[in-house]
Amino acid sequence: MAETGSFTVASKQLGISTAQVSRQVSALEKRLATRLFYRTTRKVSVTDAGQTYYQHCRPVLDGLEEAERALSQLQSEPRGKLKITAPTLYGESRIAPLLNNFVARFPELDVQFSLTNQKVDLVEGGFDLAIRLGKLESSSMMAKRLASRHQYVCAAPDYIATHGKPRTLTDLAHHNCLLGTLDYWRFQENGHERVIRVHGNIRCNSGQVLLDAALKGLGIVQLPDTYIEPYISKGTLISLLQDFQPSDEGVWAIYPHNRHLSPKVRLLVDYLGESLQSL
């Protein structure tokens, strides 16, 4: 009524009689104890109270319509484009197999999966979703924690046989530590984080390179579970300083700030979270 200005037009849009519309309006006015419309034989107009009531009700109705659309899309098979980015190794080893399973389940999806260790701009690059690891930087993006990952300090049996095991954090000063982009490692001691500066004769921004050096007995390395766990289980690397293992890092789904998150993206985020936590 507030939009059509006519009981007759409103009745046609609702598929009910004009008399029913009039009775419903009268019942609402009685319940609210206020007049919502001025009625004459020629015209129906909204009162100030009616306009105020309409302005408050319209967003609620819009929200209900949006919720129904989202539910309808969620119940239908996901389809269309999905553009995703993830760190290279983690994306290859953990995300890609799950993403392939997801596409096998919903073949109408058109997925573009970009692997890079660079922090890409999601909005500028047109990405629906990014997988990020570790501590998040402050941003306008929305984030959901999907899982955790562990950091290990380890070395090959040959290195340990020659140089011994570090028993305390201060012992690391006497060992060759294989470095990434930072010259310190993080640990936990007595419930508090400790940062220990380390040194060594190899530095590289590739975890794979540092892993190879560690496997060849060239030094001690600190790397995430994705790199290390297969070799620890085979005994080709030995976990060290387990009493000082740092707190788990987060595995995050990052997506642009949008209250109407696409149902297919939401479905993928939920699937990744459930699957990663079961690994």
Side-chain angles (χ1 to χ4, degrees):
M1 278 297 305
E3 294 176 348
T4 64
S6 166
F7 279 34
T8 302
V9 175
S11 68
K12 290 180 180 179
Q13 291 182 350
L14 294 171
I16 60 178
S17 69
T18 303
Q20 283 179 294
V21 172
S22 181
R23 283 195 296 269
Q24 291 292 333
V25 170
S26 295
L28 179 60
E29 289 178 326
K30 183 176 180 181
R31 183 167 66 83
L32 297 175
T34 188
R35 183 178 294 277
L36 301 177
F37 298 95
Y38 295 115
R39 303 169 180 82
T40 68
T41 55
R42 296 182 178 180
K43 184 179 180 183
V44 176
S45 59
V46 184
T47 66
D48 289 343
Q51 187 64 36
T52 299
Y53 189 68
Y54 168 76
Q55 289 173 352
H56 281 79
C57 289
R58 184 70 263 175
V60 176
L61 294 174
D62 289 341
L64 287 172
E65 292 174 0
E66 181 64 31
E68 290 178 0
R69 282 195 297 270
L71 184 60
S72 176
Q73 293 176 33
L74 189 60
Q75 291 173 334
S76 64
E77 182 171 306
R79 64 185 69 244
K81 292 184 178 181
L82 269 178
K83 191 173 182 182
I84 306 160
T85 181
T88 303
L89 180 70
Y90 194 87
E92 287 176 343
S93 61
R94 297 287 173 89
I95 301 300
L98 298 177
L99 186 57
N100 290 339
N101 291 342
F102 191 76
V103 174
R105 183 179 174 187
F106 302 112
E108 294 299 313
L109 288 171
D110 180 5
V111 174
Q112 181 179 338
F113 189 30
S114 176
L115 296 174
T116 176
N117 292 327
Q118 301 298 316
K119 296 291 180 66
V120 299
D121 186 314
L122 269 63
V123 175
E124 184 178 332
F127 287 95
D128 298 295
L129 181 68
I131 304 301
R132 298 274 167 84
L133 307 174
K135 187 176 181 180
L136 294 179
E137 299 174 357
S138 177
S139 76
S140 61
M141 297 291 109
M142 299 295 289
K144 179 179 179 180
R145 187 168 180 142
L146 301 178
S148 300
R149 69 171 187 167
H150 314 290
Q151 289 279 356
Y152 287 95
V153 173
C154 56
D158 287 348
Y159 178 89
I160 293 171
T162 302
H163 303 281
K165 289 184 178 181
R167 303 291 179 181
T168 67
L169 298 183
T170 55
D171 288 346
L172 288 173
H174 308 294
H175 286 271
N176 192 47
C177 298
L178 309 172
L179 300 175
T181 55
L182 305 175
D183 62 356
Y184 59 84
W185 292 346
R186 289 189 172 92
F187 296 92
Q188 282 277 329
E189 186 175 32
N190 299 323
H192 300 284
E193 183 179 74
R194 280 200 62 186
V195 174
I196 302 296
R197 296 205 174 273
V198 292
H199 64 275
N201 65 351
I202 294 179
R203 179 188 289 265
C204 184
N205 63 352
S206 166
Q208 285 287 73
V209 171
L210 299 178
L211 173 62
D212 182 71
L215 288 169
K216 292 174 178 174
L218 300 181
I220 298 175
V221 73
Q222 185 181 61
L223 284 172
D225 49 17
T226 316
Y227 293 89
I228 298 301
E229 285 182 346
Y231 300 98
I232 289 179
S233 63
K234 292 187 294 186
T236 50
L237 286 176
I238 307 298
S239 181
L240 306 170
L241 298 171
Q242 293 172 318
D243 291 340
F244 304 97
Q245 186 166 318
S247 300
D248 290 350
E249 297 179 337
V251 177
W252 304 89
I254 307 295
Y255 43 90
H257 192 288
N258 186 342
R259 66 185 181 94
H260 302 312
L261 181 63
S262 165
K264 62 189 173 186
V265 176
R266 190 187 305 279
L267 191 63
L268 175 59
V269 169
D270 291 343
Y271 171 74
L272 291 176
E274 293 170 4
S275 302
L276 289 171
Q277 290 177 32
S278 67
L279 292 178

